[in-house]
Amino acid sequence: MNPFSLGGQVALVTGANTGIGQAIAVALSQAGADVIAAGRRDCGETLALMGQVSEKAGRGLRLDFSDPMAACDLFASERIDILVNNAGIIRRADAVDFSEADWDEVMDTNLKALFFTCQAFARAALPRGRGKIVNIASLLSFQGGIRVPSYTASKHGVAGLTKLMANEWAAGGLNVNAIAPGYIETNNTTALRADPDRSRAILDRIPAGRWGRPEDIGQTAVFLSAPASDYINGAVLNVDGGWLAR
Ligand code: NDP
């Protein structure tokens, strides 16, 4: 058996219509998984890309975390072996001006929805005695950042919850881990990349000398979803070109 193969596994990826989520869906598909690409918008582009790397058709699913409990009934009706919690948003404003609406929206999407989706997955997977959860954290799971208070709070929360859930569920055969992406070229970082000063300052600190690509995160998600990582529990893996090593 190839310990890096996902053959025979069913994976669900949230926020799979674009960016990192799209790349994760494509990478899992290439590794042999049957992938459900979930998004609040149509995931047709992702399904087409999956079709280029796999014979498995894959499936789209509408999933909108404006209701953070939206995924609670998903896992009871069919076997899903791998859950990737990728959907996330960011809101920028000075901490002294930050609004309650921007606090609640980010915390609900990035943290509350993630926890209750994991809980629903675990309720179905624990009786089977196996399952993989991969949460998408951030450098701001470790650092403070600037002008993004709810994002920083939510991503610190993702790191903490990943460890808590690993502690509770590892003995039941579930692996719960997270990936902390560095600066990746997606919609999420368009504003940063458009600002020449910020962009240069960021690039200067990355030992690898380039922004990350969504595919860099996709391949890490394959590893954390595969049997090769069965003894990894509660890890938050930096995929940042060396940013945090500086
Ligand atoms: P994108 O903005 O390109 O993708 C975010 C995804 O989340 C989109 O599919 C988006 O859907 C989805 N989403 C947002 N809100 C909801 C919601 N209410 N319900 C369902 N889906 C929702 O950004 P990235 O690909 O960069 O971000 C993916 C993840 O990676 C996020 O968790 C982000 O915090 C994290 N990350 C990104 C980094 C980067 O440098 N890019 C660095 C560190 C972490 P829609 O397209 O409809 O908005």
Side-chain angles (χ1 to χ4, degrees), residues 12-98:
L12 185 140
V13 182
T14 70
N17 57 298
T18 185
I20 290 173
Q22 180 174 77
I24 291 173
V26 172
L28 297 183
S29 184
Q30 189 167 30
D34 286 295
V35 176
I36 304 167
R40 64 179 165 177
R41 284 188 283 159
D42 179 63
C43 288
E45 185 182 284
T46 303
L47 295 180
L49 291 170
M50 285 161 48
Q52 291 172 16
V53 297
S54 170
E55 286 171 5
K56 308 241 172 70
R59 227 172 336 142
L61 176 75
R62 287 297 170 114
L63 185 58
D64 186 341
F65 287 121
S66 55
D67 171 9
M69 311 300 277
C72 284
D73 296 329
L74 273 186
F75 305 99
S77 51
E78 74 168 307
R79 195 197 85 218
I80 296 175
D81 308 289
I82 298 160
L83 167 66
V84 182
N85 286 299
N86 163 78
I89 53 172
I90 192 162
R91 296 282 181 268
R92 292 187 168 84
D94 291 345
V96 286
D97 298 325
F98 209 77

Side-chain angles (χ1 to χ4, degrees), residues 90 92 140 145-148 183 189-206 211 243:
I90 192 162
R92 292 187 168 84
L140 298 191
I146 298 170
R147 306 186 72 246
V148 286
Y183 287 89
T189 55
T190 305
L192 284 181
R193 282 178 289 122
D195 177 337
D197 294 336
R198 286 283 281 140
S199 181
R200 171 53 48 200
I202 287 167
L203 209 49
D204 280 348
R205 196 195 141 151
I206 301 175
W211 283 68
W243 172 278

Side-chain angles (χ1 to χ4, degrees), residues 9-245:
Q9 307 293 302
V10 181
L12 185 140
V13 182
T14 70
N17 57 298
T18 185
I20 290 173
Q22 180 174 77
I24 291 173
V26 172
L28 297 183
S29 184
Q30 189 167 30
D34 286 295
V35 176
I36 304 167
R40 64 179 165 177
R41 284 188 283 159
D42 179 63
C43 288
E45 185 182 284
T46 303
L47 295 180
L49 291 170
M50 285 161 48
Q52 291 172 16
V53 297
S54 170
E55 286 171 5
K56 308 241 172 70
R59 227 172 336 142
L61 176 75
R62 287 297 170 114
L63 185 58
D64 186 341
F65 287 121
S66 55
D67 171 9
M69 311 300 277
C72 284
D73 296 329
L74 273 186
F75 305 99
S77 51
E78 74 168 307
R79 195 197 85 218
I80 296 175
D81 308 289
I82 298 160
L83 167 66
V84 182
N85 286 299
N86 163 78
I89 53 172
I90 192 162
R91 296 282 181 268
R92 292 187 168 84
D94 291 345
V96 286
D97 298 325
F98 209 77
S99 71
E100 184 180 4
D102 280 348
W103 178 270
D104 287 344
E105 200 184 344
V106 172
M107 294 298 275
D108 279 359
T109 306
N110 295 8
L111 194 59
K112 183 174 178 181
L114 178 142
F115 174 70
F116 284 103
T117 303
C118 288
Q119 182 193 65
F121 176 84
R123 285 176 175 168
L126 284 169
R128 291 195 295 269
R130 59 172 293 110
K132 299 267 188 179
I133 296 176
V134 180
N135 294 322
I136 302 304
S138 167
L139 295 178
L140 298 191
S141 298
F142 307 103
Q143 301 179 300
I146 298 170
R147 306 186 72 246
V148 286
S150 56
Y151 187 82
T152 299
S154 72
K155 293 297 186 175
H156 271 66
V158 169
L161 281 178
T162 297
K163 295 170 200 172
L164 174 136
M165 294 186 288
N167 292 341
E168 292 202 19
W169 300 335
L174 270 57
N175 294 82
V176 188
N177 293 294
I179 299 170
Y183 287 89
I184 313 292
E185 293 166 345
T186 68
N187 299 337
N188 189 300
T189 55
T190 305
L192 284 181
R193 282 178 289 122
D195 177 337
D197 294 336
R198 286 283 281 140
S199 181
R200 171 53 48 200
I202 287 167
L203 209 49
D204 280 348
R205 196 195 141 151
I206 301 175
R210 66 167 174 86
W211 283 68
R213 303 180 190 108
E215 302 75 44
D216 294 317
I217 309 304
Q219 296 308 332
T220 310
V222 169
F223 170 59
L224 289 177
S225 301
S229 61
D230 276 354
Y231 198 56
I232 301 183
N233 296 284
V236 185
L237 186 50
N238 316 326
V239 182
D240 63 355
W243 172 278
L244 284 177

